[in-house]
Structures are given as C-alpha cells and as structure tokens.
Amino acid sequence: MGTPSAAAVSAKPPALPKIGVAILGSGSAVPTRVVSNDQIAALCDSSDDWIFQRTGIRNRRICDPADGESNRTLCTDALRRALESASVAPNELDLVICGTITQDMRCPSTACLVASELGCGTAAAWDIGAACCGFVYSLNTAHDLIRSGSFKTVGVIGCDTVSAITDYTNRNVAILFGDAAGAVVLRATDDVSKGVVAQCNHANGNGWQELYMPGWDEHIKDGADRALVRTGCLHMNGREVFKFAVTTFCSLIKETLDKAGLSVEDVDMFVCHQSNIRILEAASERFGIDKEHLYVNIEKYGNTSAGSVPLCFDELRRGGRIKEGQLVMFVAFGAGLTWSSSLWRM
Ligand code: COA
C-alpha cells in the first residue's frame, strides 16, 4: 500500500446510503403475578397511600421464578409477539439487540439466548447495558446500523427484571420497580421519510453512586448505611435521582426538538420512561403537553427500567394510537447516569 494521494485525503467521505427504517411490529410481555402496594408496604414500612401519592404506582408485575418466569422468558415472549405483529419470520432477523442490566446469566448475552430460542439462525446478537435507557440506546444503535447498510432486519428488545436485584426491605427501591419486556422489529425500507429524525445519547458516569448495584463490598462507600446498601441489590438516592430526572427529561426533549428544528406541537406522541408520575407531570407542565400526547401506564406496572418505553409503545400501537407518518418521541433516563431520546417519523 502506497501513501494515499492528496486528492484521496481531501475527498469527502461517501454520503450515507438513502435508506429509511420502518418499525414493522411490536410486542411486550409482563409476568402474570400482580403485586399491590399493600403487599410491598407489608415488607418495607410504607403504605398504599404514600406510594401512590409520591409515585403514581398502584401495582407492578413481578416474575415468579418457580413458574419459570425470568428476564430471558419475558424477552423471548416480547420479541416473538413483535415478530408475529410484523409478519416477519425469526430467521429473517440478521441482528438481535437487547437493552437490559438484569440478565439471567452474565454470559452469554440475553440476546444470544433469545435468538437461539426463537430460531434466528446465525443472526448477530448482543446486549446493551444502559439501565432505564437500555431500549432507547438499543433502538438508536439498531436504526443507525440499518441506515448505514450493515443490517437489514433487526429485533430490538428492552427488558428489566429489577425484582431479581431488589431488597424488599429497602423502601427506597422496593416501592418503585416492576418487571417487563417490550420489543420492536425494524427493517430497511425504500421510503426514506421513515426512521429517526433526531436522536440524543448521553451519559455522565460521575453520578454512578446515585443509582447502582454494588458488585462486592469495596463498591460500598465508607459511611454508607449497611442496612440499605447491600451487594447484589439496587441502591438509590431517590432525591438526587429525582432532581436529575426532572431536569434531564426537560433538557432532553428540548435538545431533540432543537436538533430536528421542530416544536412540541409537532410531536404526535411522547413515549417516555415511566419513572415516577411526578417526573412525567413536571415535563408535561413545562412543555404544555396534554394527556393525549404523553402516554402513562405507571399505575399498572411501576417503573420497569428498560422495559418501560417499549411496553408503552406496544400498548399504544395495539390500541391504534400510533399511525403511519406520525412523529413519535421516545425518551429515557436512568442509572449511569444515562439519558437518551429518539424522534421517529413512523
Ligand atoms: N414509604 C413511606 N415513607 C417514605 C418512603 C416510603 N417508601 N420513602 C421515604 N419516606 C419518607 C421519608 O422518610 C421522609 O420522611 P420525613 O419527611 O419524615 O423525613 C419522607 O417520606 C420524604 O422522603 P423523600 O426521600 O424526600 O421522598 P420523595 O418524595 O423524594 O420520594 C421517591 C421518594 C423514591 C419516590 C422519589 O425520590 C423518586 O421517585 N425519585 C426518583 C426515582 C426514580 O425515578 N428512579 C429511577 C430513575 S430511572
């Protein structure tokens, strides 16, 4: 290989191929076991009233391992349903991405297990660990890999089974989370109007101690309350996370709209991480988004981490509320700290 010519060095990189990306179908899965606030409160010195007032949650679904339910089974069911709704066979997928931090096994990835169980042949498969942002990070990654021409048909899953890493005597965490999975099937299309109009992906690891699961003793800060901070269990500084979530949620929506040159009124539906009803209400008040345009289902499921955004999307789609040509914004934020958005033309 010789030295490249001056002309070759100064030449512009080739323009991206003109490929649109369509969401062909969606699916979701939640455990059968419904757990009420009263049941949680009996374990951690809280009450139905307190939980509902401060979070908007009444019930959540929690996996029953004795019934064979787990992160893997929820992911598999959600993607199977998404494939059925898309009329795409499992072996047509050439990539499966799963956003999760609560895999049944650390190795191999959940995506590999799901791809194998559904019969996806030798499709590539990997997990993305971004906590509550897991689905939106994965969606943006899958979209860009399709638009670049690397993959054609991709299954994207978001799932967390936070119950597996919850100490139910710690009321900071126990009241908030539930288990769920959601999935979509994306495919390259000649219709270049379809796909991401603008996306934002951010992280700030300096805030990791606000929401984390200590892996071993050395991860626990000196002076931490050992009754609350335990290895293998999620620990959350609720007040700090609340402040982060409210400010980030609003700045993220603004940043995404600015990038796209659009305003709030242009967006047909906001599909947002269901962290806490007060966080969702703060954003809807700040931007004047009415209930018709910001979907909320936290009362039934709690905060399902990476599962919450695709679960909302699937409910909306199946309810006939997502239509071709509409603008839909996905928004998430969580541990890391991470925050991410994806504005789509359907
Ligand atoms: N049940 C009953 N009382 C509780 C309680 C519980 N589960 N948790 C806290 N309290 C009490 C506190 O002891 C405190 O009592 P005091 O006033 O007598 O001192 C009072 O309620 C207020 O505590 P505070 O921690 O300020 O509650 P809060 O209003 O911040 O609500 C959260 C707690 C966890 C619901 C809230 O901080 C939150 O939702 N944070 C963000 C969580 C989140 O979204 N995480 C995921 C990000 S993806």
Side-chain angles (χ1 to χ4, degrees):
M1 293 279 286
T3 317
S5 68
V9 170
S10 66
K12 283 187 189 161
L16 279 177
K18 289 267 183 208
I19 299 174
V21 183
I23 300 180
L24 294 187
S26 65
S28 57
V30 293
T32 46
R33 181 165 59 172
V34 180
V35 177
S36 68
N37 285 347
D38 282 332
Q39 288 170 284
I40 295 288
L43 303 172
C44 68
D45 184 24
S46 190
S47 68
D48 176 36
D49 266 2
W50 194 95
I51 300 171
F52 185 67
Q53 302 278 331
R54 299 289 178 123
T55 68
I57 300 166
R58 284 272 186 221
N59 291 301
R60 72 282 295 139
R61 303 295 187 98
I62 291 185
C63 283
D64 186 352
D67 251 6
E69 284 177 331
S70 73
N71 181 295
R72 177 185 57 80
T73 64
L74 294 184
C75 288
T76 307
D77 289 345
L79 183 56
R80 181 187 291 113
R81 289 169 190 158
L83 286 162
E84 283 164 6
S85 87
S87 299
V88 169
N91 63 6
E92 292 177 61
L93 294 179
D94 45 18
L95 169 63
V96 176
I97 302 182
C98 182
T100 187
I101 50 157
T102 47
Q103 302 91 328
D104 295 352
M105 287 187 269
R106 191 175 289 191
C107 177
S109 68
T110 299
C112 279
L113 299 174
V114 171
S116 151
E117 199 158 331
L118 292 178
C120 303
T122 56
W126 62 73
D127 291 354
I128 288 182
C132 302
C133 276
F135 176 76
V136 181
Y137 265 31
S138 300
L139 186 67
N140 285 335
T141 304
H143 172 275
D144 288 5
L145 287 170
I146 293 174
R147 199 159 255 181
S148 71
S150 300
F151 293 91
K152 190 173 170 239
T153 311
V154 182
V156 184
I157 308 165
C159 175
D160 272 312
T161 45
V162 178
S163 64
I165 55 168
T166 296
D167 167 5
Y168 281 98
T169 66
N170 176 352
R171 66 182 185 177
N172 296 338
V173 174
I175 58 159
L176 205 62
F177 294 96
D179 301 338
V184 292
V185 173
L186 310 183
R187 179 169 272 172
T189 166
D190 292 337
D191 182 349
V192 296
S193 72
K194 291 188 193 302
V196 169
V197 178
Q199 61 172 279
C200 303
N201 303 287
H202 297 292
N204 179 2
N206 293 335
W208 70 271
Q209 285 180 339
E210 309 303 356
L211 183 51
Y212 77 109
M213 190 198 82
W216 57 87
D217 236 35
E218 288 70 19
H219 293 156
I220 300 175
K221 269 192 302 190
D222 286 344
D225 180 350
R226 291 278 172 158
L228 287 182
V229 194
R230 295 189 182 164
T231 55
C233 295
L234 201 61
H235 167 66
M236 181 176 74
N237 181 349
R239 283 183 200 179
E240 282 310 310
V241 175
F242 190 89
K243 279 188 246 162
F244 154 76
V246 170
T247 47
T248 306
F249 198 179
C250 294
S251 64
L252 190 54
I253 291 175
K254 183 173 180 326
E255 183 186 354
T256 315
L257 290 170
D258 287 350
K259 264 192 183 180
L262 294 167
S263 61
V264 168
E265 295 72 39
D266 296 315
V267 178
D268 295 290
M269 190 60 75
F270 287 87
V271 185
C272 301
H273 175 44
Q274 307 287 299
S275 51
N276 178 322
I277 192 70
R278 291 186 291 143
I279 295 170
L280 290 163
E281 283 170 357
S284 68
E285 272 163 33
R286 155 82 176 73
F287 289 104
I289 308 170
D290 60 40
K291 286 194 170 126
E292 275 300 292
H293 296 93
L294 195 156
Y295 191 64
V296 176
N297 66 6
I298 192 168
E299 185 171 341
K300 290 188 287 179
Y301 303 114
N303 176 336
T304 59
S305 187
S308 89
V309 169
L311 176 62
C312 286
F313 182 72
D314 188 46
E315 289 194 344
L316 282 163
R317 226 189 117 263
R318 285 175 194 267
R321 292 178 62 187
I322 302 287
K323 300 194 174 62
E324 201 163 339
Q326 281 184 335
L327 276 169
V328 174
M329 191 188 292
F330 301 93
V331 186
F333 40 84
L337 300 166
T338 54
W339 58 108
S340 173
S341 67
S342 193
L343 177 60
W344 281 68
R345 173 76 67 190
M346 290 290 139

